[in-house]
Amino acid sequence: MSAGHALLGLLAEGERHGYDLRRQYLRRFPSAKPLAAAQIYATLDRLLRDGLVVAGATERVGGPDRTVFAVTGPGRAELDRWLSEVEMPSEYVVNLLSMKVTLALLVADQRAAADFLRRQREAHLARMREHTRVKSDPDTDLLRVIAADYAINHLDADLRWIETTLQRVTELAEEIRP
Amino acid sequence: MMTTRLPNTEPVGGEVLSGRAIVKSYENSPALRGASISAARGDVLAITGPSGSGKSTLLLCLAGILAPDAGEIRFAGRRIDTESEAARSALRRREFGVLFQFGQVVPELTAQENVALPLLLSGVRRRPAMTAARSWLDRFGVAQLADQRPPQMSGGQAQRVALARALVTEPQVLFADEPTGALDTLAGEQVLDQLTRVAREAGTTVLLVTHDAKVAAYADREIVLRDGMIEGADLGAAGSVGAAGSVDAVMSVGQHRIHR
């Protein structure tokens, strides 16, 4: 995920200062990891250097100075290019769960691997319940519902993998340590 | 809301329904090999596991529809597996609601008549039964379907009518077996949202059988069946040792229940 493009997108909606961008980021991307203030200013510096945003007036509202940023023509063009670009599914999925199962079978036994998978399933399901609860709350707005849906479906993919691996763990143990 | 519960059907120590060391075979093929389970009042409990793990059989035994070969089932402290079919049938009508994947609504009856049916069968007069049916259809957002017949409804609508019918008698326990299995994702979510919300408001215990983790996530906790036993019970052990282990496993899961 490119923080630069996310900020360009938020600025394309209207000019803002850094503090406001940070708030808007939290509001629009509720499931994303929040951006630290330092990260926002470093990213804005880079966008300024590349001519994708310009710094405008400096506001002072009873606190520190706040510089307002706006998207330039090239900035808008870069944003449009990025938005229409398909994200490539990654070739190498780093699957920590799979690594742990393999190593458990190598250094311990089938029981350890199955036990890990069962406890992992509990943890995944607990997280899935949290997202489901958020989603089922009638006060949750649609933006948060679709964010929860994304998380639920990814957890579900892991859970399906955990279940089939549990069913194959005996066979896998024989393959790894014949 | 009308309440017809008798004092002696109140849960003992919070436990409403339990099965202990249940064994059930079909023509020498074991479906349950000593499964134990315990549900408290207001528990929304998912029973999951792969195909053929015995989860539907467990549900049917707990609901008093199938008689187990061994083990015991208690509802509100009363042992029900040894009772006569007539007594179990009366219990099911009064205290249990059931919801399956499809096919429970009567196609010849309107939605309102379908929902009123369990009340009419219990001897409630037509007018109050129809009034209650109407208010349950309203709770599930399908009051506008009152005069329609199931063939005119979408799958999601028919399932909400079936849900209203399962709850119209205000049962203590709702048994649901893959209740959204035949619905698309959004229709299924609507049914699950409403099912769990209404059950939680009413303090109804729900046993939800599903193979789908996304459905199980609507419950407060989960029991996994594998090869007719509760997973997490003594691995590889069968018979009485496994059965005793199962009870402990269920209890420890219960203690880690996530609070709402």
Side-chain angles (χ1 to χ4, degrees):
Chain A
M1 173 25 229
S2 157
H5 289 109
L7 296 191
L8 274 181
L10 294 177
L11 288 174
E13 215 193 346
E15 52 180 47
R16 297 174 188 284
H17 50 69
Y19 175 76
D20 196 17
L21 265 177
R22 192 174 174 207
R23 264 196 341 210
Q24 199 61 8
Y25 188 91
L26 283 174
R27 185 177 148 228
R28 294 292 189 198
F29 312 124
S31 58
K33 191 174 162 191
L35 285 182
Q39 205 178 348
I40 289 194
Y41 290 108
T43 308
L44 283 170
D45 276 347
R46 186 168 53 76
L47 295 174
L48 269 175
R49 186 198 66 204
D50 296 343
L52 302 178
V53 300
V54 284
T58 299
E59 285 177 359
R60 172 175 277 180
V61 197
D65 288 353
R66 281 173 178 167
T67 305
V68 170
F69 296 90
V71 177
T72 61
R76 179 64 206 227
E78 172 54 23
L79 175 67
D80 290 342
R81 185 201 62 73
W82 180 73
L83 283 178
S84 62
E85 182 183 76
V86 167
E87 294 294 324
M88 280 298 145
S90 46
E91 193 175 349
Y92 300 103
V93 179
V94 180
N95 185 347
L96 191 57
L97 306 187
S98 182
M99 263 183 196
K100 281 199 173 185
V101 169
T102 306
L103 290 173
L105 290 173
L106 274 175
V107 305
D109 56 14
Q110 184 183 327
R111 199 182 168 109
D115 188 50
F116 160 70
L117 285 167
R118 277 193 286 268
R119 285 184 298 116
Q120 189 63 51
R121 180 178 58 202
E122 266 177 49
H124 263 64
L125 204 79
R127 179 54 58 82
M128 208 164 170
R129 280 190 209 104
E130 285 169 21
H131 287 298
T132 302
R133 205 157 297 143
V134 168
K135 199 174 121 174
S136 310
D137 185 336
D139 294 334
T140 301
D141 57 31
L142 200 52
L143 193 60
R144 280 173 197 277
V145 168
I146 63 161
D149 255 343
Y150 187 83
I152 288 168
N153 281 294
H154 280 74
L155 289 165
D156 188 50
D158 276 0
L159 281 163
R160 285 166 195 260
W161 176 85
I162 288 171
E163 181 53 44
T164 45
T165 307
L166 263 172
Q167 290 177 34
R168 287 171 161 166
V169 78
T170 306
E171 212 183 321
L172 188 62
E174 282 161 11
E175 183 178 296
I176 288 179
R177 283 212 310 197
Chain B
M1 301 234 299
M2 43 180 192
T3 306
T4 50
R5 283 169 200 161
L6 303 169
N8 66 353
T9 60
E10 285 301 311
V12 175
E15 183 181 88
V16 170
L17 188 73
S18 69
R20 196 179 155 78
I22 301 173
V23 175
K24 176 74 186 170
S25 295
Y26 299 112
E27 317 225 330
N28 295 327
S29 158
L32 293 174
R33 303 186 300 130
S36 297
I37 186 170
S38 166
R41 176 172 157 79
D43 239 351
V44 180
L45 174 61
I47 302 173
T48 68
S51 304
S53 57
K55 51 192 191 297
S56 292
T57 303
L58 178 60
L59 194 81
L60 293 172
C61 286
L62 291 168
I65 295 168
L66 275 182
D69 301 333
E72 58 178 65
I73 295 160
R74 287 179 185 275
F75 168 72
R78 151 185 164 192
R79 187 161 176 189
I80 61 170
D81 58 288
T82 46
E83 290 187 347
S84 69
E85 171 50 35
R88 279 186 286 144
S89 170
L91 178 77
R92 284 202 299 273
R93 262 203 316 275
R94 230 181 21 247
E95 308 286 5
F96 295 168
V98 287
L99 184 64
F100 296 112
Q101 193 166 333
F102 36 42
Q104 304 150 90
V105 281
V106 182
E108 291 81 6
L109 300 181
T110 66
Q112 195 173 0
E113 289 165 341
N114 260 293
V115 177
L117 197 58
L119 294 175
L120 295 170
L121 291 174
S122 309
V124 176
R125 292 156 76 112
R126 185 171 170 86
R127 189 184 288 268
M130 291 295 271
T131 305
R134 182 79 190 202
S135 88
W136 277 92
L137 286 172
D138 198 28
R139 272 179 103 162
F140 291 115
V142 284
Q144 79 283 5
L145 302 176
D147 298 325
Q148 291 190 27
R149 290 180 169 77
Q152 299 165 273
M153 300 173 197
S154 71
Q157 290 172 333
Q159 200 60 339
R160 282 192 272 169
V161 171
L163 181 56
R165 197 174 86 168
L167 292 175
V168 71
T169 56
E170 299 182 25
Q172 295 229 29
V173 186
L174 174 67
F175 297 91
D177 192 351
E178 300 283 8
T180 56
L183 305 181
D184 65 51
T185 307
L186 287 179
E189 282 180 4
Q190 245 180 352
V191 168
L192 288 166
D193 266 347
Q194 293 183 327
L195 185 161
T196 47
R197 190 171 311 142
V198 170
R200 283 175 177 136
E201 282 164 9
T204 310
T205 301
V206 178
L207 296 188
L208 177 61
V209 161
T210 180
H211 70 284
D212 185 344
K214 289 196 276 186
V215 174
Y218 280 84
D220 302 321
R221 59 187 179 103
E222 169 184 71
I223 298 282
V224 183
L225 269 176
R226 198 174 295 281
D227 300 329
M229 311 240 316
I230 305 291
E231 191 175 80
D234 200 351
L235 287 177
S240 58
V241 176
S246 308
V247 174
D248 294 341
V250 173
M251 295 310 176
S252 69
V253 170
Q255 282 159 10
H256 291 106
R257 180 164 169 210
I258 290 164
H259 296 284
R260 297 189 290 275

